[in-house]
Amino acid sequence: MADLLQNPVLGTDDIKPELEGRRLEGTSATPKTEEREKEMAPPVAGNSIHRSGSRPQLDVSGAAIQGNFEERDPTILLPNQSDDISHLALDIGGSLIKLVYFSRHEDKSAEDKRKRSMKQIFGISNGNRRSYPILGGRLHFVKFETAKINECLDFIKSKQLHRGGMVARCWPTDALSNENVVVKATGGGAYKFTDLFKERLGVSLDKEDEMDCLVAGANFLMKTIRHEAFTHMEGQKEFVQIDQNELYPYLLVNVGSGVSMIKVDGEGKFERVSGTNVGGGTYWGLGKLLTKCKTFDELLELSQRGDNRTIDMLVGDIYGGMDYSKIGLSASTIASSFGKTISENKELEDYRPEDISLSLLRMISYNIGQIAYLNALRFGLKRIFFGGFFIRGHAYTMDTISFAVQFWSKGDAKAMFLRHEGFLGALGAFMSYEKHGLDDVMVHQLVERFPMGAPYVGGKIHGPPLGDLNEKISWMEKFVQKGTEIIAPVPMTPPGTTGLGGFEVPLSRGDTLRSDASSLNVGVLHLVPTLEVFPLLADSKVYEPNTIDLSDHGELEYWLTVLSEHLPDLVDKAVASEGGTDDAKRRGDAFARAFSAHLARLMEEPAAYGKLGLANLLELREECLREFQFTDAYRSIKQRENEASLAVLPDLLMELDGMSEEDRLFTLIEGVLAANIFDWGSRACVDLYHKGTIIEIYRMSRKKMRRPWRVDDFDMFKERMLGSSGKRPPPHKRALLFVDNSGADVVLGMLPLARELLRRGTEVVLVANSLPALNDVTAMELPDIVAEAAKNCDILRRAAEAGGLLVDAMINIQDGSKEDLPSVPLMVVENGCGSPCIDLRQVSSEVAAAAKDADLIILEGMGRAIHTNFNAKFECDALKLAMVKNQRLAEKLLKGNIYDCVCRFEPAN
């Protein structure tokens, strides 16, 4: 084995056709190929990624904003740009074309004076961002069969991806010539199909080195995607969090036709240290000869139903069914792959193709796993990542490689895999574009979303995403639903193309491949440059937002059922929010089918979208609503509840002002808990809404509250606020209040609490959703609510003015005659998400900036204080307030009952 490691045979990175002027890689070196190998040799360790001199450059001179300066992300015109910049890259292999493309965000919210005021207060600037614009948007991943390359070309043309994704009519007539358009590409097909791309699209392919792209893509993914790497043992997928500062060095094992093993030491620093010519090409070639399978996937599927014991010689076959325990070999250990066939008088046709396929798969996978571990041992590497066409998310392949690494390392090392591994080369090619802002992606957050943008068949989402709303709805309308089985028809063909490509039909019903097998299904990466880690987390590395463990199948099934049962009511509200038009009904039906398909997939494969938590499920629902253009399903309900609550707020404030300080503090906390009953995401709450008005329910809730609450730290919080034994503690400097629902929740609960903190000299920042989610209040809505409340409250008015909430001030301030004394500010910031829950590893830059001087945070509501962050630890004082509106959650987490209350106070560490 030492000789093998010192003088390894060559292997390749992908299955590719033989190219004119190049030998077919993946075969042993011969004297005839030595000269060519010198020309094609990969860069030595330490070389930076090759940058082609032919790439287009971005000329930002004379850049000007197009249209309204008040827009949040206005379009920027580049009048002196001579070259067309493409936001498209391809990895063209022998079997698959992997395509990565960028699209700009379509929806833009108006930037208002309040937000600019917040940026001034918190000192938020562009920091070290470059002078040219960062293109906010999405990264999409699409695959096509190389044999159907014309469908790939049709797809690129239909979306104008070779022109930056802009439709042709938006381009000036003199820009319609594609002479200067350059598209990044890697893989053997980048050479083979150069002329075809020029002929069909009029673009030039700028060829990037495969190994450069492979490593760049892997580095990019592991630095930017939280749940990218995972282990896979005995069918169980477990995600691994990797510290960016401890990523290097690692071994990247790319299994294509042959196998390349690459030691990666940093950005652009890598060396191919070994390889083997026994790889995916070996499995496919021998499998085709021995089983007569027509496709690689068919061969893999056969292995699912195989039994290798009929072909492989096991240790037990040699030792009469016993283990060879002295050297640690079990009876089921393979002593010789295909060894049993030696002593049997059988012909090839006497063996089942399924058994042959499995035996072959195990032989090659074990061999790859063993050689990979020995190379890791040779260089002292602890991390081994596997990827390439051979693996393709196939569960049994990953299990076999994992077992080999664990066996030979005696458990010291683990094989790890990457969710986007099929797109490493394409991502690397994409990242090789320079000087147009896309390389800034490396330093920003990317959030993965899974829109219903392509057919969902047999547990898989196939084909390229459908970007147009009419395409989505038309496709969803063709779904035929039979119980829990969802079947898609033949995909539609848009005008002017021969088909969008990439669609597949499962080879059989029943024992098909797992849903993550071979399809290279990944979501869309949303580029969100403003999200940061909440700085007040005690330890962001161990922080886990989700309180509920959905890895428990029973728990997952329960919550999927809850979401499914709530779906009809949600659709009704969404359709009603847009006047109940026929168009809204059509979109509502499409949303319901799409979200149901997502739930069905997650029931079959919980880890299909990365590590799954309840926060992810709820966010998925909101994203799906927005995908079908339901921007705020509860708009009218929220408005009605806000008006009803604001009408009774003056009486509540007058009542509070007549109390002693101690009684007032208790009444305020009790009021927050009582008002938190209003939650349209809860079935129990929806039932209450049908039995009374919002004010009646609020009063009933207050009357029924009795201490001690299920979690009752009020006395501890009271001592921190008011002191004891005559010693009065200093007030908090700044409090962040993470608010929850509209209506009584925020108006009668959180605003009076905020007012009390302001009265005590504490700055208050109300943190609300950036985007709507159920009846949660948003940061866009809060200033108007505060303005209305301030008409009857001098404390709120002065604080709102100091915080920039009453710019272009309202009229009719009833108590405006009072003296305008200096006041601490009341501010509103958006949290950076659009979900009932919040992941504090991804908050807006405004929240992160506001937190730097905060010494109290209050998390309110089931989503923010119980579903997520119930166990979160902070560097400052933290108060978590919520009423539990789910019986199962009350029993499992709190050992209590529905409508129990949580008042959890945790002093600063």
Side-chain angles (χ1 to χ4, degrees):
M1 182 56 68
D3 290 339
L4 172 62
L5 293 175
Q6 295 300 321
N7 299 289
V9 291
L10 296 176
T12 90
D13 303 321
D14 200 359
I15 295 177
K16 64 177 66 117
E18 186 166 8
L19 306 177
E20 183 179 352
R22 297 178 63 182
R23 66 178 174 85
L24 177 62
E25 296 181 12
T27 60
S28 299
T30 66
K32 294 181 180 180
T33 63
E34 289 178 357
E35 185 174 348
R36 290 178 192 166
E37 286 173 1
K38 291 179 182 179
E39 296 174 359
M40 298 165 55
V44 295
N47 282 6
S48 61
I49 294 178
H50 166 70
R51 301 291 185 184
S52 169
S54 63
R55 76 183 72 255
Q57 300 295 305
L58 191 70
D59 186 349
V60 297
S61 61
I65 294 178
Q66 178 187 32
N68 186 2
F69 280 79
E70 296 293 308
E71 288 185 5
R72 178 176 180 177
D73 298 305
T75 301
I76 297 180
L77 293 180
L78 304 176
N80 299 318
Q81 178 62 35
S82 57
D83 289 337
D84 294 339
I85 299 296
S86 174
H87 302 140
L88 162 70
L90 303 106
D91 179 2
I92 310 175
S95 296
L96 288 178
I97 300 171
K98 284 79 68 176
L99 185 150
V100 174
Y101 72 92
F102 179 86
S103 68
R104 294 177 178 84
H105 282 310
E106 298 151 359
D107 50 335
K108 302 186 183 298
S109 58
E111 174 73 284
D112 56 18
K113 294 180 181 179
R114 177 193 61 80
K115 293 197 66 177
R116 288 199 299 276
S117 174
M118 290 302 99
K119 290 184 177 182
Q120 292 173 355
I121 291 173
F122 299 138
I124 301 173
S125 66
N126 288 334
N128 59 1
R129 291 185 186 174
R130 308 185 179 189
S131 58
Y132 51 80
I134 294 174
L135 300 177
R138 307 171 179 89
L139 287 178
H140 302 263
F141 302 85
V142 185
K143 58 117 178 164
F144 297 86
E145 294 179 28
T146 305
K148 299 177 181 177
I149 189 169
N150 284 327
E151 293 182 347
C152 176
L153 294 170
D154 288 338
F155 177 67
I156 293 172
K157 188 174 183 179
S158 68
K159 289 187 175 289
Q160 294 291 298
L161 300 181
H162 54 311
R163 294 177 173 175
M166 302 177 72
V167 295
R169 66 175 179 270
C170 296
W171 283 67
T173 55
D174 58 354
L176 292 178
S177 172
N178 294 331
E179 292 180 2
N180 296 321
V181 177
V182 176
V183 172
K184 290 293 181 182
T186 190
Y191 296 86
K192 181 177 181 179
F193 298 112
T194 294
D195 293 341
L196 183 60
F197 272 80
K198 191 69 174 178
E199 176 187 335
R200 289 287 310 278
L201 301 177
V203 301
S204 299
L205 295 183
D206 189 6
K207 305 166 187 66
E208 293 290 328
D209 180 79
E210 279 190 77
M211 204 161 292
D212 286 344
C213 292
L214 188 71
V215 174
N219 287 342
F220 167 74
L221 288 170
M222 285 186 277
K223 285 187 174 183
T224 56
I225 309 302
R226 180 175 297 116
H227 297 138
E228 178 62 32
F230 62 92
T231 59
H232 204 287
M233 287 289 290
E234 298 181 356
Q236 296 299 311
K237 181 184 289 185
E238 183 175 333
F239 291 93
V240 178
Q241 187 60 35
I242 299 173
D243 189 332
Q244 292 187 21
N245 299 320
E246 299 175 358
L247 173 60
Y248 306 113
Y250 66 86
L251 186 70
L252 179 61
V253 182
N254 197 58
V255 189
S257 298
V259 184
S260 282
M261 301 190 184
I262 307 161
K263 178 175 176 283
V264 182
D265 294 304
E267 287 296 327
K269 298 178 181 179
F270 61 87
E271 178 186 6
R272 185 183 186 278
V273 296
S274 187
T276 172
N277 57 354
V278 179
T282 313
Y283 176 62
W284 176 213
L286 286 175
K288 185 176 181 181
L289 290 173
L290 296 173
T291 68
K292 308 302 180 184
C293 284
K294 302 299 183 185
T295 69
F296 188 90
D297 286 341
E298 184 183 356
L299 184 64
L300 274 179
E301 187 173 358
L302 278 179
S303 71
Q304 295 286 105
R305 304 191 295 274
D307 182 355
N308 69 300
R309 293 173 299 178
T310 64
I311 291 177
D312 292 339
M313 182 182 293
L314 310 181
V315 169
D317 295 326
I318 301 173
Y319 287 88
M322 298 176 60
D323 297 339
Y324 192 174
S325 54
K326 184 176 180 180
I327 59 174
L329 298 179
S330 68
S332 60
T333 301
I334 299 175
S336 174
S337 293
F338 288 85
K340 192 172 286 185
T341 63
I342 299 172
S343 58
E344 294 179 337
N345 188 22
K346 292 182 180 180
E347 299 296 328
L348 177 60
E349 54 269 19
D350 296 326
Y351 293 97
R352 293 198 319 149
E354 294 90 334
D355 302 340
I356 293 173
S357 176
L358 179 59
S359 180
L360 190 60
L361 178 63
R362 295 188 71 169
M363 178 183 77
I364 293 171
S365 298
Y366 280 146
N367 184 60
I368 293 170
Q370 181 181 14
I371 296 175
Y373 167 67
L374 291 173
N375 274 283
L377 185 65
R378 172 188 171 196
F379 292 101
L381 304 177
K382 298 297 184 182
R383 296 184 181 84
I384 311 174
F385 297 98
F386 292 82
F389 178 83
F390 175 66
I391 295 172
R392 303 176 71 186
H394 186 229
Y396 196 86
T397 305
M398 292 188 289
D399 274 351
T400 307
I401 290 175
S402 297
F403 179 83
V405 171
Q406 183 184 50
F407 178 84
W408 290 107
S409 71
K410 293 181 169 50
D412 289 340
K414 287 185 177 181
M416 288 185 281
F417 307 90
L418 302 175
R419 295 184 58 246
H420 294 76
E421 58 88 8
F423 292 93
L424 296 185
L427 268 171
F430 183 86
M431 296 307 299
S432 70
Y433 284 108
E434 282 185 333
K435 297 182 180 178
H436 56 18
L438 293 179
D439 47 351
D440 276 348
V441 167
M442 290 296 292
V443 297
H444 293 302
Q445 289 277 0
L446 282 135
V447 180
E448 192 170 14
R449 305 283 187 245
F450 287 82
M452 179 53 66
Y456 178 97
V457 184
K460 290 185 264 188
I461 296 179
H462 296 278
L466 304 174
D468 180 76
L469 179 64
N470 286 328
E471 287 181 19
K472 293 179 191 292
I473 296 177
S474 296
W475 180 79
M476 293 302 305
E477 286 179 329
K478 295 179 182 178
F479 261 30
V480 178
Q481 192 166 14
K482 298 179 180 178
T484 59
E485 181 183 17
I486 300 177
I487 305 171
V490 177
M492 50 181 271
T493 301
T497 73
T498 59
L500 292 181
F503 300 103
E504 299 175 357
V505 177
L507 296 172
S508 65
R509 295 288 179 183
D511 294 329
T512 58
L513 293 176
R514 287 171 59 112
S515 61
D516 55 1
S518 78
S519 50
L520 303 181
N521 291 322
V522 292
V524 175
L525 296 184
H526 288 230
L527 175 63
V528 279
T530 60
L531 294 191
E532 302 177 27
V533 176
F534 188 59
L536 291 177
L537 286 173
D539 188 346
S540 61
K541 292 182 180 179
V542 300
Y543 168 76
E544 169 54 49
N546 291 289
T547 306
I548 299 167
D549 182 13
L550 293 188
S551 63
D552 180 287
H553 182 76
E555 203 68 37
L556 175 63
E557 186 174 12
Y558 170 80
W559 288 102
L560 290 179
T561 301
V562 168
L563 290 177
S564 181
E565 290 177 347
H566 183 245
L567 191 55
D569 183 73
L570 177 58
V571 172
D572 288 345
K573 297 296 184 296
V575 173
S577 72
E578 301 197 5
T581 63
D582 289 341
D583 174 68
K585 292 176 181 177
R586 185 166 173 254
R587 286 185 285 118
D589 180 64
F591 155 72
R593 291 178 181 271
F595 187 57
S596 295
H598 280 301
L599 297 182
R601 183 178 188 192
L602 288 170
M603 178 58 75
E604 178 191 342
E605 180 60 29
Y609 299 168
K611 186 176 181 180
L612 183 63
L614 187 57
N616 309 106
L617 268 180
L618 297 177
E619 189 171 28
L620 176 64
R621 177 183 62 190
E622 303 305 323
E623 285 289 332
C624 203
L625 273 170
R626 286 188 279 272
E627 185 183 353
F628 290 95
Q629 295 188 0
F630 291 107
T631 56
D632 193 350
Y634 287 79
R635 183 190 305 115
S636 58
I637 291 174
K638 291 191 293 182
Q639 184 176 357
R640 184 171 66 247
E641 292 182 353
N642 287 336
E643 291 173 354
S645 301
L646 285 165
V648 300
L649 177 63
D651 291 340
L652 174 62
L653 297 182
M654 187 178 299
E655 179 185 349
L656 289 167
D657 288 343
M659 297 179 180
S660 67
E661 192 175 36
E662 183 173 332
D663 288 344
R664 185 167 66 242
L665 183 64
F666 172 75
T667 304
L668 285 166
I669 298 300
E670 181 186 61
V672 170
L673 294 172
N676 190 236
I677 196 173
F678 298 98
D679 186 346
W680 279 91
S682 163
R683 171 57 59 186
C685 183
V686 172
D687 292 341
L688 284 176
Y689 274 98
H690 297 302
K691 298 176 181 178
T693 67
I694 183 172
I695 302 305
E696 289 171 341
I697 298 170
Y698 171 69
R699 288 171 179 160
M700 174 205 71
S701 179
R702 299 242 359 202
K703 288 179 180 178
K704 288 188 175 182
M705 296 189 65
R706 296 287 184 272
R707 291 187 69 190
W709 300 315
R710 177 55 56 180
V711 177
D712 194 339
D713 294 336
F714 172 76
D715 292 335
M716 193 188 310
F717 177 66
K718 181 181 72 173
E719 183 174 344
R720 169 59 186 89
M721 295 291 289
L722 306 181
S724 61
S725 303
K727 295 181 179 179
R728 191 174 183 87
H732 291 95
K733 180 178 180 182
R734 177 182 291 169
L736 302 187
L737 277 59
F738 288 79
V739 297
D740 189 9
N741 305 304
S742 295
D745 197 2
V746 67
V747 175
L748 304 181
M750 293 299 279
L751 268 186
L753 179 58
R755 177 177 178 263
E756 182 68 16
L757 291 168
L758 292 166
R759 187 204 298 264
R760 296 173 55 80
T762 300
E763 295 180 359
V764 175
V765 181
L766 301 177
V767 184
N769 270 15
S770 300
L771 296 171
L774 295 175
N775 64 320
D776 289 3
V777 68
T778 68
M780 190 67 73
E781 296 163 341
L782 258 182
D784 289 339
I785 294 173
V786 172
E788 285 298 316
K791 289 180 179 180
N792 301 283
C793 175
D794 187 51
I795 296 174
L796 288 177
R797 180 180 64 81
R798 287 187 286 110
E801 287 176 345
L805 295 181
L806 299 185
V807 179
D808 294 336
M810 326 159 313
I811 57 173
N812 194 28
I813 303 291
Q814 292 182 4
D815 58 354
S817 59
K818 294 185 179 180
E819 185 178 358
D820 287 333
L821 299 174
S823 175
V824 291
L826 172 63
M827 298 164 278
V828 171
V829 300
E830 61 180 72
N831 59 20
C833 77
S835 166
C837 300
I838 187 167
D839 183 342
L840 293 175
R841 292 169 300 196
Q842 295 178 326
V843 299
S844 71
S845 58
E846 287 183 348
V847 171
K852 291 176 183 176
D853 293 322
D855 49 3
L856 171 65
I857 64 171
I858 300 178
L859 290 158
E860 184 240 356
M862 276 219 317
R864 293 159 185 80
I866 298 182
H867 286 153
T868 54
N869 301 305
F870 187 70
N871 299 317
K873 302 298 181 184
F874 300 94
E875 294 179 350
C876 65
D877 290 350
L879 180 64
K880 301 169 185 178
L881 300 169
M883 177 181 283
V884 182
K885 297 170 287 279
N886 177 276
Q887 182 64 41
R888 184 184 181 96
L889 185 67
E891 293 172 354
K892 291 183 71 71
L893 184 64
L894 304 172
K895 294 181 171 47
N897 297 298
I898 195 168
Y899 303 131
D900 276 345
C901 292
V902 171
C903 175
R904 188 173 189 172
F905 179 66
E906 297 162 342
N909 290 334

